[in-house]
Amino acid sequence: MLKSLETEFLGKTISNPLVLPAGIMGMAFSGFNISVENGVGIVMSKSLTLVPRKGHEGPVITEVQNGLLNSMGLCNPGINDGLYEIDQFKERSQIPVIVSVFATKTNDFLKLTLKANRSQADFLELNLSCPNVFDEFGIPLAASKDKVYEIVKTVKQNSKLPVIAKLSPNVHDIVSVAKAAESAGVDALCMINTVGPGMAIDTKMVKPILFNTFGGLSGPAIKPLALKLIYETYSAVNVPIIGMGGVTYGIDAVEMLMSGAVLIGVGTAIYYRGIDVFAKINKELNNFLQESDYQQLKDIPKLEKLDG
Amino acid sequence: MDKRITLPITKIITEATDIKTFGFEYDLKAKPGQFIMLTDFGKGEKPFSLADCTKTEFFITIKQIGDFTTRLFQKDVGDLISIRGPYGSSFFISQGNVLLIGGGFATPPLYFLSKELLKIGTKITVINGAKTNQQLIFSDRFEQLELNYMSTTQFGAHGNGTAVDRTKKLLKKEQFDYLYASGPEMMLNALSTILKDDEYEFLLERYMKCAVGICGSCTLDPIGIRLCMEGPVLPKRIVEQLTEFGKYHRDASGMRIKF
């Protein structure tokens, strides 16, 4: 029997909790189309910047044990073309869209916000945490709770869309950053971005495999870390959390829901299980609900919050 | 799954002043139409279709176009290259009477295909087109195979039309059970208009970044199939659904570029 995987997110009903995260399949409207056809509940664009970026040269990705290292370098067609792709998708689909944007200055985030206001996107994600452009931009903004507060505050004052902050796991105290975003009025959090960064070496060439030398770690290897950080953050804030990091099977999604997330990002799992991984995970979620005698997704309980 | 190997170049064959074939001794287990990602560490990584693949060797044919290929052209036998793959879909191995249409330096994958088709006794005709005689490659290789080989050049003293012109003429005289084409997209686009009643597969090209189906750089509008996974060989029923086919592609940033 099919159980309801429906869930609510910031006032919108989503057919299932699976999110296409930023940087996965989201370059063109056709990438959204095929992901939706394969069962994703809500899609997110590549992180868009004010001007187009070609990203790093390759290799931009390499497999490591239980995960992938990637360093795309924020390739994207720029905010104007990126929003056009979203609008093209929206012409034929009711599926909610999160537009993700990246900048390094508050004023640039403001400019991106004003452009996003005029699009058909449903939510705005602020990518404060790309680990792969360190050479260019330095330490990610999400490392500074003051910076996060300032950016979220400015964007919230000007955004017509609910605002989501994407947090980095590569900081000393993610909970205080999450609290700073919450006190600045953020509507939701998205966590975690890729971990590290790390590296891999070609031993015959004696060279780093990735062009950018370092790349963010994703995949099953990071799931325990993601669960821990989401749980700690869930215990300390009251805004909804989009959880992601290594979710590959339905049971991983269940763990993440129990840790405090309301929506679940699935990206690297496409590599392991194919583009239909969303449909597969939804089926596994359905099986879990049946086996556990839950009527619907919303019945899956959360862990008791950690004591503050 | 990320099958990266680092190995020496074992053969370099000059096909034209700006086209070379690089050979490697390795059992890559690739099928015709598939591609590899080739890394020049610290410089970049690009996809290349296989020109041939046996149990002991594989070959890629490369045209010198930009910085990346210019540096490759400076490499010698013995120099190490890192690759990953093979990736992507392969050509359907059809029986019966088939026509292969190649354009310029995109022809070599059809040579690999010819060898596989001959193994099951398929009757093959090849039309190999190039702009000039100098750019016409792989003629000697095709001529060594048991097939009907025709070459055609667009310009120059012996110019006698494009591969598309030659295909039109041939189709008036002969019927084929299956057609295959690899060449510039505008050539494929022209072919698609004259192959309304025929079954075919095209080898397409798009900018690829991850090559493992995650990044979305090579999804094709509007259906979103990923050229690195569901392609690069696409059957007619897919090609006919592509609104971007023959119109535009996307660059490294994802911006649309008109053909």
Side-chain angles (χ1 to χ4, degrees), chain B residues 226-259:
Chain B
R226 303 158 295 173
L227 203 67
C228 70
M229 298 292 287
E230 287 79 39
V233 175
L234 297 179
K236 180 184 191 177
R237 66 182 169 77
I238 299 288
V239 173
E240 286 181 337
Q241 294 176 60
L242 303 177
T243 49
E244 70 171 79
F245 177 67
K247 296 199 172 59
Y248 62 91
H249 59 105
R250 286 183 171 84
D251 71 4
S253 73
M255 282 178 76
R256 298 175 188 201
I257 312 285
K258 283 184 179 158
F259 279 111

Side-chain angles (χ1 to χ4, degrees), chain A:
Chain A
M1 193 189 105
L2 278 181
K3 306 266 184 172
S4 171
L5 297 182
E6 247 180 39
T7 189
E8 307 290 323
F9 180 69
L10 300 178
K12 279 217 163 26
T13 301
I14 320 274
S15 64
N16 71 69
L18 303 187
V19 182
L20 185 74
I24 305 290
M25 292 296 295
M27 287 288 261
F29 76 95
S30 51
F32 298 145
N33 283 345
I34 196 168
S35 304
V36 169
E37 196 178 303
N38 281 287
V40 83
I42 174 167
V43 299
M44 192 167 349
S45 73
K46 280 285 292 182
S47 288
L48 303 171
T49 48
L50 281 173
V51 293
R53 289 175 54 91
K54 290 190 189 301
H56 296 312
E57 290 292 328
V60 292
I61 195 161
T62 194
E63 185 175 6
V64 295
Q65 273 186 13
N66 296 312
L68 294 176
L69 283 179
N70 93 81
S71 180
M72 296 288 172
L74 284 169
C75 49
N76 79 92
I79 186 76
N80 293 337
D81 287 33
L83 291 174
Y84 177 70
E85 298 287 345
I86 289 172
D87 289 349
Q88 286 234 300
F89 170 72
K90 277 294 204 175
E91 271 179 23
R92 292 173 200 84
S93 180
Q94 300 296 314
I95 298 281
V97 177
I98 305 171
V99 54
S100 179
V101 297
F102 176 89
T104 54
K105 296 188 190 83
T106 307
N107 197 40
D108 288 348
F109 271 113
L110 176 59
K111 287 180 192 164
L112 290 162
T113 301
L114 297 178
K115 297 223 178 208
N117 281 346
R118 296 197 299 270
S119 76
Q120 294 184 56
D122 301 275
F123 306 100
L124 174 66
E125 181 196 82
L126 308 175
N127 179 353
L128 305 166
S129 54
C130 179
N132 295 325
V133 287
F134 187 85
D135 287 350
E136 218 175 324
F137 301 128
I139 298 165
L141 293 165
S144 158
K145 57 180 192 236
D146 295 341
K147 265 284 173 204
V148 167
Y149 180 88
E150 178 191 313
I151 291 164
V152 171
K153 190 94 188 159
T154 303
V155 168
K156 267 305 286 177
Q157 283 166 352
N158 293 279
S159 179
K160 288 184 183 167
L161 308 176
V163 176
I164 304 161
K166 175 88 170 257
L167 300 184
S168 169
N170 314 317
V171 297
H172 175 62
D173 180 6
I174 199 169
V175 174
S176 67
V177 179
K179 281 181 167 171
E182 185 181 41
S183 64
V186 86
D187 296 287
L189 299 170
C190 180
M191 57 193 289
I192 58 175
N193 209 323
T194 55
V195 172
M199 72 183 292
I201 296 168
D202 187 292
T203 52
K204 283 191 182 162
M205 299 292 284
V206 198
K207 298 271 189 190
I209 289 177
L210 295 178
F211 178 86
N212 187 48
T213 306
F214 308 131
L217 180 63
S218 63
I222 71 167
K223 192 190 74 176
L225 179 64
L227 286 173
K228 182 244 187 195
L229 296 176
I230 292 164
Y231 182 44
E232 283 182 326
T233 305
Y234 163 71
S235 299
V237 302
N238 290 306
V239 293
I241 296 171
I242 304 175
M244 57 186 67
V247 172
T248 312
Y249 293 92
I251 200 68
D252 303 325
V254 172
E255 274 190 276
M256 209 155 263
L257 291 168
M258 289 182 172
S259 78
V262 296
L263 298 179
I264 311 295
V266 174
T268 300
I270 296 173
Y271 178 74
Y272 296 106
R273 303 187 70 196
I275 190 70
D276 57 347
V277 65
F278 309 103
K280 288 172 178 164
I281 292 178
N282 280 335
K283 187 159 179 272
E284 290 154 4
L285 279 174
N286 188 67
N287 291 346
F288 175 81
L289 294 177
Q290 281 198 30
E291 288 160 13
S292 314
D293 278 330
Y294 295 125
Q295 290 310 307
Q296 51 181 348
L297 189 90
K298 292 174 197 169
D299 295 342
I300 295 177
K302 306 268 183 234
L303 296 183
E304 265 184 53
K305 289 193 174 192
L306 284 167
D307 289 336

Side-chain angles (χ1 to χ4, degrees), chain B:
Chain B
M1 278 169 73
D2 181 33
K3 300 150 274 191
R4 178 174 291 282
I5 45 163
T6 298
L7 71 181
I9 300 167
T10 46
K11 280 181 192 157
I12 299 177
I13 304 156
T14 300
E15 310 284 354
T17 52
D18 58 352
I19 303 175
K20 282 183 184 181
T21 295
F22 294 82
F24 303 87
E25 279 175 17
Y26 185 78
D27 182 11
L28 191 66
K29 295 185 169 61
K31 293 175 186 155
Q34 289 192 300
F35 69 96
I36 57 165
M37 294 296 282
L38 187 153
T39 302
D40 189 0
F41 282 112
K43 306 289 190 280
E45 188 185 44
K46 304 277 178 215
F48 293 99
S49 289
L50 290 154
D52 197 6
C53 182
T54 69
K55 286 207 181 316
T56 54
E57 289 177 296
F58 71 89
F59 295 88
I60 49 175
T61 299
I62 298 175
K63 184 179 168 78
Q64 190 178 355
I65 289 173
D67 295 346
F68 186 86
T69 48
T70 297
R71 274 188 302 266
L72 276 184
F73 270 46
Q74 290 158 3
K75 297 206 182 290
D76 291 320
V77 167
D79 286 350
L80 289 173
I81 286 286
S82 182
I83 66 145
R84 58 189 175 106
Y87 292 128
S89 64
S90 58
F91 288 111
F92 169 62
I93 303 299
S94 172
Q95 294 180 320
N97 186 25
V98 303
L99 175 62
L100 280 58
I101 308 149
F105 72 102
T107 294
L110 298 180
Y111 170 69
F112 182 16
L113 172 63
S114 298
K115 289 175 63 180
E116 294 302 311
L117 289 168
L118 286 173
K119 284 182 186 168
I120 62 158
T122 304
K123 183 170 178 263
I124 304 170
T125 300
V126 173
I127 293 175
N128 186 10
K131 284 213 159 70
T132 65
N133 214 28
Q134 197 270 330
Q135 291 286 311
L136 191 70
I137 59 168
F138 274 54
S139 284
D140 49 346
R141 290 188 188 72
F142 279 115
E143 280 163 359
Q144 281 169 18
L145 300 178
E146 289 287 321
L147 49 75
N148 178 20
Y149 178 70
M150 306 173 197
S151 64
T152 180
T153 51
Q154 202 175 346
F155 306 112
H158 304 286
N160 48 7
T162 65
V164 178
D165 298 334
R166 196 65 182 263
T167 303
K168 271 187 203 165
K169 274 185 211 160
L170 185 62
L171 288 178
K172 281 178 189 156
K173 292 190 296 187
E174 192 172 350
Q175 282 207 322
F176 294 93
D177 298 309
Y178 212 77
L179 292 91
Y180 306 90
S182 174
E185 188 143 323
M186 295 322 283
M187 173 189 120
L188 300 178
N189 193 37
L191 283 173
S192 72
T193 63
I194 61 170
L195 299 179
K196 292 276 183 227
D197 303 322
D198 302 278
E199 282 304 315
Y200 61 77
E201 283 179 336
F202 288 167
L203 181 65
L204 263 63
E205 207 179 308
R206 283 294 180 274
Y207 183 84
M208 288 177 185
K209 218 168 169 84
C210 78
V212 291
I214 297 179
C215 75
S217 292
C218 66
T219 58
L220 295 165
D221 294 345
I223 52 177
I225 57 146
R226 303 158 295 173
L227 203 67
C228 70
M229 298 292 287
E230 287 79 39
V233 175
L234 297 179
K236 180 184 191 177
R237 66 182 169 77
I238 299 288
V239 173
E240 286 181 337
Q241 294 176 60
L242 303 177
T243 49
E244 70 171 79
F245 177 67
K247 296 199 172 59
Y248 62 91
H249 59 105
R250 286 183 171 84
D251 71 4
S253 73
M255 282 178 76
R256 298 175 188 201
I257 312 285
K258 283 184 179 158
F259 279 111

